[in-house]
Amino acid sequence: MSHSPEVGAERPRRELRRRRLVMVAVLATLLAACGVVYFFPPTDYSFYPRCFFHDLTGLHCPGCGGTRCAFALLHGDLAQAAAYNILVLIYLPYLSLTGLNACWHAVFDRPMYSRKMPAWTIRATAVLMVLFWILRNLPYAPFTLLAPHKL
Amino acid sequence: MPDDRYSDDNPPRRDDEYDRGRRDDDYDRGGRYDDDRDFRRGGEDIPNYLAQAVLVTLCCCLPFGVVAIVNASKVNTHIQAGDYRAAREASDEAKKWAMIGFVCGLIIQPLALALNIMANSR
């Protein structure tokens, strides 16, 4: 961030340029990643980054099964996606909406909506993450459904 | 005695801790952060970085993402309480931890991948 005084109108324009650049970069990466995941099933190819937490401890982290979940989603298999990682599925609408809002902000120079989520939902997110991390590693009957599994 | 008459040529010393993460257009021409802006807007453009925090937690498998989520929740709590300065600070914390998690993920994931390939080729 520049500390030198500038003409006021220059700053928002620079901010907008930055937003557009970030949007294009993120969308391109996302599209490329979706293409790779769509055509190369993560269950058959080993070039995907593996979870080092799982490699080290043998336990599942909150994101484990995420790539397989994305593959199932891209092929329209919702049940299988939920079986691999239900948290990704739960947060997908929120993440998509936030991403859409960011794109809107970049294109039209103002956000689509600026309503903040109530504070308790975000505290719940933190609790949910940690709970999910613990519960999906428990070897008991209902919790084993949270660990990534093939239907 | 420091000269306390501020002008465009002599802007006040900035509180760098507090200024971190401000948007460029949050400053007037003298380079001062407009403290009242958050109050006028009801804190609506204080980002909480929750989406980034969730993505870091899911993609990088690091506890830093959880720290970022906790700070993201503080942002909204402070906004609801009308404490916009504290909300700004929590926002900066959330951004910092999401960034730390992201960079750690960027470093660790390729390393893990390389180790894996080496282990498999033996």
Side-chain angles (χ1 to χ4, degrees):
Chain A
M1 191 181 298
S2 164
H3 281 213
S4 64
E6 272 181 37
V7 182
E10 264 305 302
R11 290 200 178 110
R13 207 171 299 150
R14 213 142 50 91
E15 170 79 17
L16 184 63
R17 249 201 321 267
R18 190 187 64 82
R19 278 184 188 283
R20 289 189 174 155
L21 210 68
V22 170
M23 181 188 73
V24 170
V26 169
L27 283 184
T29 314
L30 198 66
L31 205 68
C34 282
V36 171
V37 171
Y38 185 89
F39 290 110
F40 301 96
T43 40
D44 302 348
Y45 291 85
S46 63
F47 62 82
Y48 288 101
R50 290 170 57 86
C51 180
F52 69 91
F53 179 76
H54 183 258
D55 281 351
L56 283 178
T57 61
L59 298 172
H60 295 300
C61 82
C64 280
T67 322
R68 284 166 284 172
C69 175
F71 176 81
L73 263 183
L74 286 170
H75 289 267
D77 192 351
L78 268 181
Q80 181 60 73
Y84 280 138
N85 192 325
I86 195 157
L87 205 64
V88 169
L89 215 58
I90 292 173
Y91 276 91
L92 200 64
Y94 169 74
L95 292 176
S96 318
L97 199 61
T98 310
L100 183 67
N101 195 27
C103 288
W104 189 283
H105 202 155
V107 173
F108 300 112
D109 200 15
R110 77 185 116 105
M112 188 165 67
Y113 62 91
S114 56
R115 224 183 106 76
K116 288 257 182 246
M117 285 163 70
W120 68 265
T121 59
I122 302 177
R123 274 200 295 277
T125 299
V127 175
L128 199 63
M129 284 288 169
V130 176
L131 265 184
F132 188 61
W133 200 333
I134 297 168
L135 291 183
R136 72 189 317 207
N137 287 302
L138 296 181
Y140 310 110
F143 304 120
T144 47
L145 290 173
L146 295 175
H149 59 281
K150 189 131 185 74
L151 288 182
Chain B
M1 267 276 289
D3 186 1
D4 59 351
R5 280 169 302 168
Y6 300 133
S7 66
D8 275 1
D9 299 325
N10 181 29
R13 213 181 140 276
R14 278 172 145 206
D15 181 353
D16 281 337
E17 261 305 298
Y18 182 48
D19 282 352
R20 247 185 322 113
R22 298 300 89 77
R23 285 176 8 186
D24 274 5
D25 53 324
D26 287 343
Y27 296 92
D28 64 20
R29 279 173 20 117
R32 283 163 293 228
Y33 173 66
D34 185 357
D35 222 340
D36 288 337
R37 180 187 283 262
D38 285 338
F39 284 91
R40 285 199 304 275
R41 295 186 179 175
E44 71 173 25
D45 50 359
I46 303 175
N48 63 13
Y49 300 104
L50 179 64
Q52 288 92 326
V54 169
L55 280 177
V56 164
T57 314
L58 290 181
C59 299
C60 304
C61 318
L62 285 161
F64 300 135
V66 176
V67 180
I69 295 174
V70 169
N71 276 296
S73 80
K74 280 187 200 159
V75 174
N76 289 39
T77 308
H78 287 312
I79 289 177
Q80 277 177 5
D83 190 352
Y84 300 119
R85 191 173 182 120
R88 277 282 175 197
E89 277 157 11
S91 171
D92 288 343
E93 280 294 294
K95 186 184 187 179
K96 185 179 88 186
W97 285 107
M99 208 43 159
I100 291 175
F102 181 64
V103 171
C104 284
L106 273 190
I107 295 168
I108 290 174
Q109 295 289 6
L111 266 178
L113 188 64
L115 279 176
N116 232 317
I117 291 171
M118 283 197 312
N120 284 341
S121 63
R122 291 265 156 102

